[in-house]
Short mmCIF file of all heavy atoms in Angstrom, two decimals:
data_model
loop_
_atom_site.label_atom_id
_atom_site.label_comp_id
_atom_site.label_asym_id
_atom_site.label_seq_id
_atom_site.Cartn_x
_atom_site.Cartn_y
_atom_site.Cartn_z
N GLN A 16 15.30 18.27 -0.25
CA GLN A 16 14.42 17.11 0.26
C GLN A 16 15.35 16.13 0.92
O GLN A 16 14.91 15.42 1.88
CB GLN A 16 13.81 16.39 -0.98
CG GLN A 16 12.96 15.21 -0.64
CD GLN A 16 12.45 14.42 -1.89
OE1 GLN A 16 13.15 14.50 -3.00
NE2 GLN A 16 11.34 13.80 -1.83
N THR A 22 24.63 18.86 7.86
CA THR A 22 24.57 17.75 8.78
C THR A 22 26.01 17.32 9.19
O THR A 22 26.92 17.69 8.49
CB THR A 22 23.87 16.62 8.27
OG1 THR A 22 24.45 16.18 6.99
CG2 THR A 22 22.29 16.91 7.94
N LYS A 57 29.65 17.34 2.26
CA LYS A 57 29.13 16.28 3.20
C LYS A 57 30.34 15.51 3.78
O LYS A 57 30.24 15.07 4.95
CB LYS A 57 28.13 15.35 2.51
CG LYS A 57 27.67 14.14 3.36
CD LYS A 57 26.94 14.72 4.59
CE LYS A 57 26.53 13.58 5.47
NZ LYS A 57 26.13 13.98 6.81
N THR A 67 32.26 26.23 0.04
CA THR A 67 32.79 27.40 -0.69
C THR A 67 31.55 28.17 -1.33
O THR A 67 30.41 27.52 -1.35
CB THR A 67 33.68 26.99 -1.89
OG1 THR A 67 32.97 26.33 -2.83
CG2 THR A 67 34.83 26.02 -1.37
N ILE A 78 28.19 19.44 -12.67
CA ILE A 78 26.83 18.93 -12.65
C ILE A 78 26.09 19.29 -13.96
O ILE A 78 24.95 18.78 -14.12
CB ILE A 78 25.95 19.45 -11.47
CG1 ILE A 78 25.87 21.01 -11.54
CG2 ILE A 78 26.65 19.10 -10.14
CD1 ILE A 78 24.92 21.58 -10.46
N ASP A 80 27.10 18.26 -16.83
CA ASP A 80 27.10 17.01 -17.59
C ASP A 80 26.68 15.82 -16.63
O ASP A 80 27.42 15.24 -15.96
CB ASP A 80 28.49 16.83 -18.16
CG ASP A 80 28.53 15.55 -19.02
OD1 ASP A 80 27.54 14.88 -19.29
OD2 ASP A 80 29.62 15.20 -19.47
N GLN A 92 45.50 26.38 -16.92
CA GLN A 92 45.37 26.65 -18.38
C GLN A 92 43.99 26.68 -18.94
O GLN A 92 43.73 26.69 -20.08
CB GLN A 92 46.22 25.53 -19.03
CG GLN A 92 47.67 25.35 -18.62
CD GLN A 92 48.50 26.66 -18.81
OE1 GLN A 92 48.26 27.42 -19.77
NE2 GLN A 92 49.24 27.05 -17.87
N GLU A 94 40.40 28.25 -19.24
CA GLU A 94 39.83 29.72 -19.14
C GLU A 94 38.74 29.79 -18.07
O GLU A 94 38.47 30.88 -17.60
CB GLU A 94 39.43 30.09 -20.47
CG GLU A 94 38.22 29.30 -21.05
CD GLU A 94 37.85 29.87 -22.48
OE1 GLU A 94 38.56 30.69 -22.87
OE2 GLU A 94 36.88 29.34 -22.97
N THR A 103 44.26 30.32 -7.81
CA THR A 103 45.31 31.29 -7.54
C THR A 103 45.66 31.58 -6.15
O THR A 103 46.75 32.08 -5.74
CB THR A 103 44.84 32.61 -8.17
OG1 THR A 103 43.50 33.04 -7.49
CG2 THR A 103 44.50 32.49 -9.68
N TYR A 111 41.32 18.48 -11.20
CA TYR A 111 39.88 18.33 -10.73
C TYR A 111 39.25 17.23 -11.62
O TYR A 111 39.47 17.17 -12.87
CB TYR A 111 39.09 19.56 -10.80
CG TYR A 111 37.53 19.23 -10.44
CD1 TYR A 111 37.10 19.36 -9.09
CD2 TYR A 111 36.66 18.85 -11.37
CE1 TYR A 111 35.75 19.21 -8.86
CE2 TYR A 111 35.39 18.64 -11.16
CZ TYR A 111 34.96 18.73 -9.90
OH TYR A 111 33.56 18.46 -9.51
N GLY A 121 16.50 12.50 -11.81
CA GLY A 121 17.27 13.26 -12.80
C GLY A 121 17.96 14.49 -12.34
O GLY A 121 18.51 15.27 -13.32
N SER A 139 41.67 4.85 -17.27
CA SER A 139 40.25 4.31 -17.38
C SER A 139 39.80 3.64 -16.15
O SER A 139 38.63 3.80 -15.72
CB SER A 139 40.16 3.47 -18.59
OG SER A 139 41.10 2.36 -18.49
N SER A 140 40.64 2.96 -15.51
CA SER A 140 40.42 2.20 -14.28
C SER A 140 40.01 3.19 -13.14
O SER A 140 39.04 2.96 -12.39
CB SER A 140 41.46 1.28 -13.79
OG SER A 140 41.69 0.25 -14.83
N ILE A 142 38.85 6.23 -13.55
CA ILE A 142 37.57 6.87 -13.87
C ILE A 142 36.37 6.00 -13.59
O ILE A 142 35.36 6.34 -13.01
CB ILE A 142 37.53 7.27 -15.42
CG1 ILE A 142 38.51 8.46 -15.59
CG2 ILE A 142 36.12 7.69 -15.83
CD1 ILE A 142 38.70 8.73 -17.04
N GLN A 151 27.76 4.86 -5.14
CA GLN A 151 27.63 4.47 -3.73
C GLN A 151 27.31 5.66 -2.86
O GLN A 151 26.45 5.39 -1.90
CB GLN A 151 28.91 3.69 -3.33
CG GLN A 151 29.24 2.33 -3.92
CD GLN A 151 30.51 1.67 -3.45
OE1 GLN A 151 31.15 2.17 -2.52
NE2 GLN A 151 30.88 0.69 -4.07
N LEU A 164 11.87 9.27 5.49
CA LEU A 164 10.51 9.28 5.02
C LEU A 164 9.72 8.11 5.74
O LEU A 164 8.59 8.32 6.15
CB LEU A 164 10.46 9.09 3.57
CG LEU A 164 10.96 10.30 2.70
CD1 LEU A 164 10.84 9.97 1.24
CD2 LEU A 164 10.20 11.56 3.01
N GLU A 181 -9.05 6.74 19.67
CA GLU A 181 -10.00 7.68 20.40
C GLU A 181 -11.34 7.66 19.78
O GLU A 181 -12.36 7.78 20.55
CB GLU A 181 -9.33 9.11 20.37
CG GLU A 181 -10.08 10.13 20.97
CD GLU A 181 -10.26 9.89 22.50
OE1 GLU A 181 -9.46 9.33 23.13
OE2 GLU A 181 -11.22 10.43 23.00
N LYS A 184 -13.33 4.75 21.01
CA LYS A 184 -13.85 4.83 22.38
C LYS A 184 -15.08 5.82 22.31
O LYS A 184 -16.07 5.49 23.06
CB LYS A 184 -12.80 5.59 23.24
CG LYS A 184 -11.62 4.62 23.53
CD LYS A 184 -10.51 5.31 24.32
CE LYS A 184 -9.34 4.51 24.51
NZ LYS A 184 -8.25 5.14 25.34
N VAL A 187 -18.04 3.90 21.00
CA VAL A 187 -18.62 2.88 21.93
C VAL A 187 -19.64 3.66 22.81
O VAL A 187 -20.78 3.32 23.12
CB VAL A 187 -17.54 2.28 22.80
CG1 VAL A 187 -18.05 1.62 24.06
CG2 VAL A 187 -16.72 1.34 22.06
N SER A 201 -37.40 -0.93 26.11
CA SER A 201 -38.23 -2.04 25.44
C SER A 201 -38.50 -3.15 26.48
O SER A 201 -39.49 -3.70 26.52
CB SER A 201 -37.36 -2.51 24.30
OG SER A 201 -37.24 -1.55 23.30
N GLN A 202 -37.52 -3.43 27.39
CA GLN A 202 -37.74 -4.48 28.32
C GLN A 202 -38.84 -4.05 29.33
O GLN A 202 -39.64 -4.81 29.77
CB GLN A 202 -36.45 -4.74 29.08
CG GLN A 202 -35.39 -5.60 28.34
CD GLN A 202 -34.10 -5.75 28.99
OE1 GLN A 202 -33.60 -4.86 29.75
NE2 GLN A 202 -33.39 -6.87 28.61
N ARG A 207 -44.48 -4.28 31.20
CA ARG A 207 -45.79 -3.63 31.56
C ARG A 207 -46.93 -4.18 30.67
O ARG A 207 -48.04 -4.23 31.03
CB ARG A 207 -45.58 -2.20 31.25
CG ARG A 207 -44.73 -1.46 32.33
CD ARG A 207 -44.51 -0.02 31.94
NE ARG A 207 -43.64 0.65 32.95
CZ ARG A 207 -43.40 1.87 32.94
NH1 ARG A 207 -43.81 2.66 31.89
NH2 ARG A 207 -42.52 2.43 33.79
N THR A 216 -48.74 -9.07 19.91
CA THR A 216 -48.10 -7.72 20.21
C THR A 216 -47.00 -7.91 21.20
O THR A 216 -45.93 -7.19 21.07
CB THR A 216 -49.16 -6.85 20.77
OG1 THR A 216 -50.30 -6.66 19.89
CG2 THR A 216 -48.58 -5.49 21.11
#
Side-chain angles (χ1 to χ4, degrees):
Q16 183 183 27
T22 57
K57 177 58 182 172
T67 70
I78 64 172
D80 182 5
Q92 306 302 320
E94 62 181 10
T103 60
Y111 172 93
S139 59
S140 296
I142 290 175
Q151 291 183 8
L164 292 177
E181 181 62 26
K184 292 177 182 178
V187 169
S201 296
Q202 287 175 329
R207 291 178 182 177
T216 303

